[in-house]
Amino acid sequence: LLFFFSSSRGLRSIPSLSKFHRLRYLWLNNNKIQDLTFLIKNYCLTELYLNNNELTDISGALKHLCSLQILFLHNNNLNKLGKTVKELKGMISLHTLNLFQNPLACDPTYRLYVIYFLPSVQLLDRKLVTERERESALDHYNPERSLAAQSIAFGKRVNKSLRTTVGSSRCTQPAGKLIMPSGCEFGNNTNKTPFENPEDAVLVRAVTRSLTEFSFVDWNKAATCQERWLQNKAEEPLEKVTVQFK
């Protein structure tokens, strides 16, 4: 592994590091760097420390670093949250990220925005990302998906009741007394009418039973080719047993 140390030297520009194509760890913090084009060939970087510099924009400079796991960009002059996060979206291994003390961190939705669009990040600005924050981010930026996840409840308890739309009215029904949309009665698998409200589809799927059917025969009672030839008589049809599960 190749280590490169060049921190706290007041550097304004860095020569190309393309010849260090296997460079994995790079410290360039506490300088005056404004441009990152010198990193264009360093695809193997896993840790990059660029905090305490004078960066204003990282667009097009870091997106090729798909192996990056740790990235420190705090205390710079980054002010465009959307462009900054877009640059980091391809870093699927990125688990530690610092962006605090940048103008973009003043956005009131900053933390939830980063958590939602960079789901691999586990430690943001020296603070662990909680499951509650992930749920809040999903609810804020993708409310439809959040509602579906809460309604279907993959192995967890749901404290909110399902709502169904019948005509133009909206009502909440207690468990066991669910009202289904007209034409979607129990067991009617031929109705393919799309639902305007996704909660209706969730309701119908929840109360509609699936049917599984399979058939089998007892092959121990079936005659072999040699037995059929020796007996020289027509083979009797085998008994078939069909089982259904609802």
Side-chain angles (χ1 to χ4, degrees):
L1 301 179
L2 180 61
F3 294 81
F4 192 94
F5 299 88
S6 186
S7 60
S8 305
R9 296 187 180 182
L11 300 176
R12 292 184 178 275
S13 61
I14 305 292
S16 175
L17 301 178
S18 58
K19 64 180 179 180
F20 303 106
H21 59 279
R22 300 194 65 180
L23 181 66
R24 295 190 60 184
Y25 307 95
L26 180 59
W27 282 262
L28 287 171
N29 51 296
N30 300 307
N31 285 292
K32 298 181 180 180
I33 298 172
Q34 299 179 357
D35 180 55
L36 299 177
T37 55
F38 58 89
L39 293 173
I40 196 66
K41 298 291 184 179
N42 303 107
Y43 302 102
C44 294
L45 275 172
T46 58
E47 296 185 17
L48 180 58
Y49 302 87
L50 292 167
N51 49 295
N52 301 296
N53 276 286
E54 297 180 0
L55 296 169
T56 58
D57 188 8
I58 61 171
S59 299
L62 301 178
K63 61 183 178 182
H64 61 290
L65 304 179
C66 299
S67 299
L68 210 58
Q69 299 176 10
I70 298 176
L71 176 61
F72 283 9
L73 286 168
H74 56 279
N75 197 19
N76 276 280
N77 297 316
L78 301 173
N79 55 19
K80 297 180 179 179
L81 179 59
K83 291 182 67 175
T84 299
V85 171
K86 183 179 179 181
E87 185 70 13
L88 309 180
K89 277 188 176 180
M91 301 177 184
I92 58 176
S93 299
L94 185 65
H95 58 72
T96 301
L97 174 65
N98 281 353
L99 288 172
F100 63 92
Q101 292 182 347
N102 279 286
L104 57 78
C106 295
D107 189 309
T109 61
Y110 152 73
R111 187 171 176 88
L112 290 183
Y113 186 90
V114 175
I115 291 173
Y116 178 75
F117 288 101
L118 301 177
S120 64
V121 174
Q122 302 174 21
L123 187 66
L124 176 60
D125 295 342
R126 301 174 180 174
K127 182 180 177 182
L128 284 173
V129 176
T130 65
E131 190 61 32
R132 190 184 190 93
E133 287 179 315
R134 295 195 188 279
E135 292 176 355
S136 298
L138 181 63
D139 187 57
H140 184 82
Y141 290 102
N142 196 339
E144 292 184 358
R145 182 178 175 185
S146 176
L147 180 61
Q150 293 178 46
S151 300
I152 296 174
F154 295 99
K156 65 180 181 181
R157 182 178 180 181
V158 178
N159 294 320
K160 60 186 298 186
S161 59
L162 290 171
R163 296 178 178 180
T164 64
T165 303
V166 181
S168 59
S169 62
R170 191 175 184 85
C171 61
T172 302
Q173 298 295 328
K177 296 183 179 180
L178 299 173
I179 294 179
M180 300 173 60
S182 178
C184 297
E185 291 77 9
F186 177 82
N188 181 7
N189 296 320
T190 62
N191 192 315
K192 303 299 182 183
T193 304
F195 293 89
E196 294 183 0
N197 187 344
E199 295 182 24
D200 292 342
V202 173
L203 170 65
V204 173
R205 184 66 185 89
V207 299
T208 302
R209 292 182 179 179
S210 298
L211 178 65
T212 301
E213 177 182 303
F214 69 93
S215 301
F216 66 92
V217 296
D218 187 353
W219 292 105
N220 292 322
K221 297 180 180 180
T224 65
C225 293
Q226 185 177 13
E227 289 173 340
R228 290 199 301 270
W229 180 75
L230 291 175
Q231 293 175 2
N232 192 23
K233 64 179 181 178
E235 182 180 2
E236 296 181 0
L238 295 174
E239 181 183 359
K240 183 174 68 172
V241 179
T242 299
V243 181
Q244 291 184 346
F245 293 95
K246 292 184 179 181

Short mmCIF file of all heavy atoms in Angstrom, two decimals, residues 113-159:
data_model
loop_
_atom_site.label_atom_id
_atom_site.label_comp_id
_atom_site.label_asym_id
_atom_site.label_seq_id
_atom_site.Cartn_x
_atom_site.Cartn_y
_atom_site.Cartn_z
N TYR A 113 -30.94 15.30 3.64
CA TYR A 113 -30.66 15.24 2.21
C TYR A 113 -29.48 14.31 1.94
O TYR A 113 -29.54 13.44 1.07
CB TYR A 113 -30.36 16.64 1.69
CG TYR A 113 -30.20 16.72 0.19
CD1 TYR A 113 -31.30 16.98 -0.63
CD2 TYR A 113 -28.95 16.56 -0.41
CE1 TYR A 113 -31.16 17.07 -2.02
CE2 TYR A 113 -28.81 16.64 -1.79
CZ TYR A 113 -29.91 16.90 -2.59
OH TYR A 113 -29.76 16.97 -3.95
N VAL A 114 -28.41 14.47 2.70
CA VAL A 114 -27.22 13.64 2.52
C VAL A 114 -27.53 12.18 2.87
O VAL A 114 -27.12 11.25 2.17
CB VAL A 114 -26.06 14.16 3.39
CG1 VAL A 114 -24.85 13.23 3.30
CG2 VAL A 114 -25.65 15.56 2.94
N ILE A 115 -28.26 11.97 3.94
CA ILE A 115 -28.60 10.61 4.37
C ILE A 115 -29.44 9.90 3.31
O ILE A 115 -29.22 8.70 3.04
CB ILE A 115 -29.35 10.64 5.72
CG1 ILE A 115 -28.39 11.07 6.85
CG2 ILE A 115 -29.96 9.29 6.05
CD1 ILE A 115 -29.06 11.31 8.18
N TYR A 116 -30.37 10.60 2.71
CA TYR A 116 -31.25 9.97 1.72
C TYR A 116 -30.51 9.65 0.41
O TYR A 116 -30.63 8.55 -0.12
CB TYR A 116 -32.45 10.86 1.42
CG TYR A 116 -33.36 10.28 0.37
CD1 TYR A 116 -34.21 9.21 0.67
CD2 TYR A 116 -33.36 10.77 -0.93
CE1 TYR A 116 -35.03 8.64 -0.28
CE2 TYR A 116 -34.18 10.21 -1.91
CZ TYR A 116 -35.02 9.16 -1.57
OH TYR A 116 -35.82 8.59 -2.55
N PHE A 117 -29.73 10.60 -0.08
CA PHE A 117 -29.10 10.42 -1.39
C PHE A 117 -27.75 9.70 -1.32
O PHE A 117 -27.23 9.27 -2.36
CB PHE A 117 -28.93 11.78 -2.08
CG PHE A 117 -30.22 12.35 -2.58
CD1 PHE A 117 -30.87 13.35 -1.88
CD2 PHE A 117 -30.82 11.87 -3.73
CE1 PHE A 117 -32.08 13.88 -2.32
CE2 PHE A 117 -32.02 12.38 -4.18
CZ PHE A 117 -32.65 13.39 -3.48
N LEU A 118 -27.20 9.55 -0.12
CA LEU A 118 -25.97 8.78 0.05
C LEU A 118 -26.22 7.71 1.12
O LEU A 118 -25.70 7.78 2.24
CB LEU A 118 -24.80 9.69 0.47
CG LEU A 118 -24.45 10.83 -0.49
CD1 LEU A 118 -23.33 11.68 0.09
CD2 LEU A 118 -24.04 10.29 -1.86
N PRO A 119 -27.00 6.67 0.79
CA PRO A 119 -27.41 5.69 1.80
C PRO A 119 -26.29 4.85 2.38
O PRO A 119 -26.47 4.22 3.43
CB PRO A 119 -28.41 4.81 1.03
CG PRO A 119 -28.03 4.97 -0.41
CD PRO A 119 -27.57 6.38 -0.54
N SER A 120 -25.13 4.80 1.74
CA SER A 120 -24.03 3.99 2.26
C SER A 120 -23.33 4.66 3.45
O SER A 120 -22.64 4.00 4.22
CB SER A 120 -22.99 3.71 1.16
OG SER A 120 -22.38 4.91 0.73
N VAL A 121 -23.52 5.97 3.60
CA VAL A 121 -22.85 6.72 4.68
C VAL A 121 -23.40 6.31 6.04
O VAL A 121 -24.61 6.36 6.27
CB VAL A 121 -23.00 8.24 4.47
CG1 VAL A 121 -22.44 9.00 5.67
CG2 VAL A 121 -22.28 8.67 3.19
N GLN A 122 -22.52 5.90 6.92
CA GLN A 122 -22.91 5.48 8.26
C GLN A 122 -22.51 6.50 9.33
O GLN A 122 -23.13 6.58 10.38
CB GLN A 122 -22.27 4.13 8.58
CG GLN A 122 -22.64 3.03 7.61
CD GLN A 122 -21.87 1.76 7.87
OE1 GLN A 122 -21.35 1.53 8.96
NE2 GLN A 122 -21.76 0.90 6.85
N LEU A 123 -21.43 7.25 9.04
CA LEU A 123 -20.95 8.26 9.98
C LEU A 123 -20.88 9.59 9.24
O LEU A 123 -20.01 9.78 8.37
CB LEU A 123 -19.58 7.86 10.52
CG LEU A 123 -18.99 8.74 11.65
CD1 LEU A 123 -19.85 8.61 12.91
CD2 LEU A 123 -17.56 8.32 11.96
N LEU A 124 -21.77 10.50 9.55
CA LEU A 124 -21.83 11.80 8.88
C LEU A 124 -21.51 12.91 9.86
O LEU A 124 -22.17 13.04 10.90
CB LEU A 124 -23.22 12.02 8.28
CG LEU A 124 -23.49 13.37 7.62
CD1 LEU A 124 -22.53 13.61 6.45
CD2 LEU A 124 -24.93 13.46 7.14
N ASP A 125 -20.47 13.67 9.55
CA ASP A 125 -20.06 14.79 10.40
C ASP A 125 -19.82 14.34 11.84
O ASP A 125 -20.30 14.93 12.80
CB ASP A 125 -21.10 15.91 10.37
CG ASP A 125 -21.20 16.55 8.99
OD1 ASP A 125 -20.28 16.37 8.19
OD2 ASP A 125 -22.21 17.23 8.73
N ARG A 126 -19.10 13.21 11.95
CA ARG A 126 -18.70 12.65 13.25
C ARG A 126 -19.88 12.14 14.08
O ARG A 126 -19.76 11.93 15.29
CB ARG A 126 -17.91 13.68 14.07
CG ARG A 126 -16.66 14.19 13.38
CD ARG A 126 -16.01 15.32 14.16
NE ARG A 126 -14.80 15.80 13.51
CZ ARG A 126 -14.10 16.86 13.92
NH1 ARG A 126 -14.50 17.53 14.99
NH2 ARG A 126 -13.01 17.24 13.27
N LYS A 127 -21.01 11.95 13.45
CA LYS A 127 -22.19 11.48 14.17
C LYS A 127 -22.80 10.32 13.42
O LYS A 127 -23.02 10.38 12.21
CB LYS A 127 -23.22 12.62 14.30
CG LYS A 127 -24.46 12.24 15.07
CD LYS A 127 -25.42 13.41 15.15
CE LYS A 127 -26.71 13.03 15.87
NZ LYS A 127 -27.67 14.17 15.91
N LEU A 128 -23.09 9.22 14.13
CA LEU A 128 -23.67 8.04 13.51
C LEU A 128 -25.05 8.34 12.94
O LEU A 128 -25.86 9.04 13.56
CB LEU A 128 -23.79 6.91 14.54
CG LEU A 128 -22.51 6.15 14.90
CD1 LEU A 128 -22.77 5.20 16.05
CD2 LEU A 128 -21.98 5.39 13.68
N VAL A 129 -25.31 7.80 11.78
CA VAL A 129 -26.63 7.94 11.15
C VAL A 129 -27.55 6.90 11.78
O VAL A 129 -27.26 5.70 11.76
CB VAL A 129 -26.54 7.72 9.62
CG1 VAL A 129 -27.93 7.77 9.00
CG2 VAL A 129 -25.63 8.76 8.99
N THR A 130 -28.67 7.34 12.34
CA THR A 130 -29.59 6.44 13.02
C THR A 130 -30.68 5.95 12.07
O THR A 130 -30.95 6.56 11.03
CB THR A 130 -30.25 7.15 14.21
OG1 THR A 130 -31.07 8.23 13.72
CG2 THR A 130 -29.19 7.71 15.15
N GLU A 131 -31.33 4.86 12.46
CA GLU A 131 -32.43 4.33 11.66
C GLU A 131 -33.59 5.31 11.63
O GLU A 131 -34.30 5.42 10.63
CB GLU A 131 -32.89 2.98 12.24
CG GLU A 131 -33.86 2.22 11.36
CD GLU A 131 -33.26 1.86 10.01
OE1 GLU A 131 -32.03 1.62 9.96
OE2 GLU A 131 -34.02 1.80 9.03
N ARG A 132 -33.76 6.02 12.71
CA ARG A 132 -34.83 7.04 12.77
C ARG A 132 -34.58 8.14 11.76
O ARG A 132 -35.51 8.63 11.10
CB ARG A 132 -34.91 7.61 14.19
CG ARG A 132 -36.12 8.49 14.43
CD ARG A 132 -36.08 9.11 15.82
NE ARG A 132 -37.33 9.77 16.14
CZ ARG A 132 -38.34 9.20 16.77
NH1 ARG A 132 -38.22 7.94 17.16
NH2 ARG A 132 -39.45 9.86 17.04
N GLU A 133 -33.31 8.54 11.59
CA GLU A 133 -32.97 9.56 10.60
C GLU A 133 -33.21 9.05 9.19
O GLU A 133 -33.67 9.80 8.31
CB GLU A 133 -31.52 10.00 10.76
CG GLU A 133 -31.26 10.87 11.99
CD GLU A 133 -29.81 11.27 12.13
OE1 GLU A 133 -28.93 10.38 11.95
OE2 GLU A 133 -29.52 12.45 12.41
N ARG A 134 -32.90 7.79 8.95
CA ARG A 134 -33.14 7.23 7.61
C ARG A 134 -34.63 7.20 7.29
O ARG A 134 -35.05 7.49 6.16
CB ARG A 134 -32.55 5.82 7.52
CG ARG A 134 -31.03 5.78 7.63
CD ARG A 134 -30.48 4.45 7.19
NE ARG A 134 -29.06 4.35 7.47
CZ ARG A 134 -28.10 4.87 6.70
NH1 ARG A 134 -28.44 5.51 5.60
NH2 ARG A 134 -26.83 4.71 7.02
N GLU A 135 -35.45 6.86 8.28
CA GLU A 135 -36.90 6.85 8.07
C GLU A 135 -37.41 8.26 7.83
O GLU A 135 -38.29 8.47 6.98
CB GLU A 135 -37.59 6.22 9.28
CG GLU A 135 -37.31 4.72 9.44
CD GLU A 135 -37.93 4.14 10.70
OE1 GLU A 135 -38.50 4.94 11.50
OE2 GLU A 135 -37.83 2.92 10.90
N SER A 136 -36.88 9.23 8.56
CA SER A 136 -37.30 10.63 8.37
C SER A 136 -36.90 11.13 7.00
O SER A 136 -37.66 11.86 6.35
CB SER A 136 -36.66 11.51 9.46
OG SER A 136 -37.10 11.14 10.74
N ALA A 137 -35.70 10.75 6.55
CA ALA A 137 -35.24 11.16 5.23
C ALA A 137 -36.11 10.56 4.14
O ALA A 137 -36.48 11.23 3.17
CB ALA A 137 -33.78 10.75 5.04
N LEU A 138 -36.48 9.28 4.29
CA LEU A 138 -37.34 8.62 3.32
C LEU A 138 -38.72 9.26 3.31
O LEU A 138 -39.30 9.49 2.23
CB LEU A 138 -37.46 7.13 3.66
CG LEU A 138 -38.32 6.28 2.73
CD1 LEU A 138 -37.74 6.26 1.32
CD2 LEU A 138 -38.45 4.86 3.26
N ASP A 139 -39.24 9.58 4.46
CA ASP A 139 -40.55 10.19 4.57
C ASP A 139 -40.56 11.59 3.95
O ASP A 139 -41.56 12.02 3.36
CB ASP A 139 -40.97 10.26 6.04
CG ASP A 139 -42.40 10.75 6.20
OD1 ASP A 139 -43.30 10.12 5.63
OD2 ASP A 139 -42.62 11.77 6.89
N HIS A 140 -39.42 12.30 4.04
CA HIS A 140 -39.33 13.67 3.53
C HIS A 140 -39.14 13.71 2.02
O HIS A 140 -39.78 14.51 1.33
CB HIS A 140 -38.16 14.40 4.21
CG HIS A 140 -38.06 15.84 3.83
ND1 HIS A 140 -38.83 16.83 4.41
CD2 HIS A 140 -37.27 16.47 2.91
CE1 HIS A 140 -38.53 17.99 3.87
NE2 HIS A 140 -37.58 17.81 2.96
N TYR A 141 -38.28 12.83 1.48
CA TYR A 141 -37.93 12.90 0.08
C TYR A 141 -38.66 11.88 -0.80
O TYR A 141 -38.66 12.03 -2.02
CB TYR A 141 -36.41 12.73 -0.09
CG TYR A 141 -35.65 13.92 0.42
CD1 TYR A 141 -35.01 13.89 1.67
CD2 TYR A 141 -35.57 15.10 -0.32
CE1 TYR A 141 -34.34 14.99 2.15
CE2 TYR A 141 -34.89 16.20 0.16
CZ TYR A 141 -34.27 16.15 1.40
OH TYR A 141 -33.60 17.25 1.87
N ASN A 142 -39.26 10.87 -0.18
CA ASN A 142 -40.02 9.89 -0.96
C ASN A 142 -41.20 9.42 -0.12
O ASN A 142 -41.25 8.26 0.32
CB ASN A 142 -39.12 8.71 -1.35
CG ASN A 142 -39.70 7.87 -2.46
OD1 ASN A 142 -40.91 7.91 -2.70
ND2 ASN A 142 -38.86 7.11 -3.13
N PRO A 143 -42.19 10.29 0.10
CA PRO A 143 -43.31 9.94 0.99
C PRO A 143 -44.12 8.75 0.51
O PRO A 143 -44.64 7.99 1.32
CB PRO A 143 -44.15 11.23 1.01
CG PRO A 143 -43.76 11.98 -0.23
CD PRO A 143 -42.31 11.65 -0.45
N GLU A 144 -44.26 8.55 -0.81
CA GLU A 144 -45.04 7.42 -1.32
C GLU A 144 -44.38 6.09 -0.96
O GLU A 144 -45.04 5.15 -0.53
CB GLU A 144 -45.19 7.54 -2.83
CG GLU A 144 -46.06 8.71 -3.27
CD GLU A 144 -46.26 8.74 -4.76
OE1 GLU A 144 -45.70 7.86 -5.44
OE2 GLU A 144 -46.99 9.63 -5.25
N ARG A 145 -43.06 6.03 -1.13
CA ARG A 145 -42.36 4.80 -0.77
C ARG A 145 -42.40 4.58 0.74
O ARG A 145 -42.55 3.45 1.20
CB ARG A 145 -40.91 4.89 -1.24
CG ARG A 145 -40.09 3.64 -0.96
CD ARG A 145 -38.69 3.78 -1.49
NE ARG A 145 -37.87 2.65 -1.12
CZ ARG A 145 -36.56 2.56 -1.36
NH1 ARG A 145 -35.95 3.53 -2.01
NH2 ARG A 145 -35.87 1.51 -0.98
N SER A 146 -42.30 5.66 1.50
CA SER A 146 -42.37 5.54 2.95
C SER A 146 -43.72 5.01 3.39
O SER A 146 -43.81 4.13 4.26
CB SER A 146 -42.11 6.91 3.59
OG SER A 146 -42.25 6.86 4.99
N LEU A 147 -44.80 5.51 2.77
CA LEU A 147 -46.14 5.04 3.12
C LEU A 147 -46.33 3.58 2.79
O LEU A 147 -46.90 2.81 3.56
CB LEU A 147 -47.18 5.88 2.37
CG LEU A 147 -48.65 5.53 2.63
CD1 LEU A 147 -48.99 5.70 4.10
CD2 LEU A 147 -49.56 6.38 1.76
N ALA A 148 -45.82 3.16 1.62
CA ALA A 148 -45.94 1.76 1.23
C ALA A 148 -45.19 0.86 2.20
O ALA A 148 -45.67 -0.20 2.59
CB ALA A 148 -45.42 1.57 -0.18
N ALA A 149 -43.99 1.30 2.61
CA ALA A 149 -43.19 0.50 3.54
C ALA A 149 -43.89 0.37 4.88
O ALA A 149 -43.88 -0.70 5.51
CB ALA A 149 -41.81 1.15 3.71
N GLN A 150 -44.53 1.44 5.35
CA GLN A 150 -45.22 1.38 6.63
C GLN A 150 -46.49 0.53 6.54
O GLN A 150 -46.86 -0.15 7.50
CB GLN A 150 -45.60 2.80 7.07
CG GLN A 150 -44.40 3.68 7.40
CD GLN A 150 -44.82 5.08 7.79
OE1 GLN A 150 -45.74 5.28 8.57
NE2 GLN A 150 -44.13 6.07 7.23
N SER A 151 -47.15 0.58 5.38
CA SER A 151 -48.40 -0.18 5.23
C SER A 151 -48.15 -1.66 5.13
O SER A 151 -48.84 -2.47 5.72
CB SER A 151 -49.14 0.31 3.98
OG SER A 151 -49.45 1.69 4.09
N ILE A 152 -47.14 -2.04 4.33
CA ILE A 152 -46.85 -3.45 4.13
C ILE A 152 -46.18 -4.03 5.36
O ILE A 152 -46.41 -5.17 5.73
CB ILE A 152 -45.96 -3.62 2.89
CG1 ILE A 152 -46.73 -3.16 1.65
CG2 ILE A 152 -45.54 -5.08 2.72
CD1 ILE A 152 -45.91 -3.14 0.38
N ALA A 153 -45.34 -3.25 6.03
CA ALA A 153 -44.72 -3.65 7.29
C ALA A 153 -43.94 -4.94 7.17
O ALA A 153 -44.39 -6.00 7.56
CB ALA A 153 -45.76 -3.78 8.40
N PHE A 154 -42.79 -4.89 6.59
CA PHE A 154 -41.96 -6.08 6.41
C PHE A 154 -41.43 -6.54 7.76
O PHE A 154 -40.35 -6.16 8.18
CB PHE A 154 -40.80 -5.77 5.47
CG PHE A 154 -41.25 -5.45 4.08
CD1 PHE A 154 -41.35 -4.14 3.65
CD2 PHE A 154 -41.59 -6.46 3.20
CE1 PHE A 154 -41.77 -3.84 2.38
CE2 PHE A 154 -42.02 -6.17 1.91
CZ PHE A 154 -42.10 -4.85 1.51
N GLY A 155 -42.20 -7.36 8.46
CA GLY A 155 -41.73 -7.97 9.69
C GLY A 155 -41.70 -7.03 10.87
O GLY A 155 -41.07 -7.31 11.87
N LYS A 156 -42.41 -5.87 10.78
CA LYS A 156 -42.41 -5.00 11.94
C LYS A 156 -43.84 -4.53 12.22
O LYS A 156 -44.70 -4.55 11.36
CB LYS A 156 -41.49 -3.80 11.74
CG LYS A 156 -41.92 -2.85 10.62
CD LYS A 156 -40.94 -1.70 10.51
CE LYS A 156 -41.37 -0.73 9.42
NZ LYS A 156 -40.42 0.39 9.28
N ARG A 157 -44.07 -4.04 13.41
CA ARG A 157 -45.40 -3.63 13.81
C ARG A 157 -45.74 -2.27 13.20
O ARG A 157 -44.91 -1.38 13.14
CB ARG A 157 -45.46 -3.55 15.33
CG ARG A 157 -46.84 -3.17 15.87
CD ARG A 157 -46.83 -3.17 17.37
NE ARG A 157 -48.12 -2.81 17.92
CZ ARG A 157 -48.38 -2.72 19.22
NH1 ARG A 157 -47.41 -2.98 20.09
NH2 ARG A 157 -49.57 -2.38 19.64
N VAL A 158 -46.98 -2.12 12.76
CA VAL A 158 -47.45 -0.86 12.18
C VAL A 158 -48.50 -0.28 13.10
O VAL A 158 -49.47 -0.95 13.46
CB VAL A 158 -48.04 -1.09 10.78
CG1 VAL A 158 -48.55 0.22 10.21
CG2 VAL A 158 -46.98 -1.67 9.87
N ASN A 159 -48.31 0.98 13.50
CA ASN A 159 -49.23 1.62 14.41
C ASN A 159 -50.29 2.46 13.71
O ASN A 159 -51.11 3.08 14.35
CB ASN A 159 -48.45 2.50 15.39
CG ASN A 159 -47.56 1.68 16.29
OD1 ASN A 159 -47.96 0.62 16.73
ND2 ASN A 159 -46.36 2.15 16.55
#
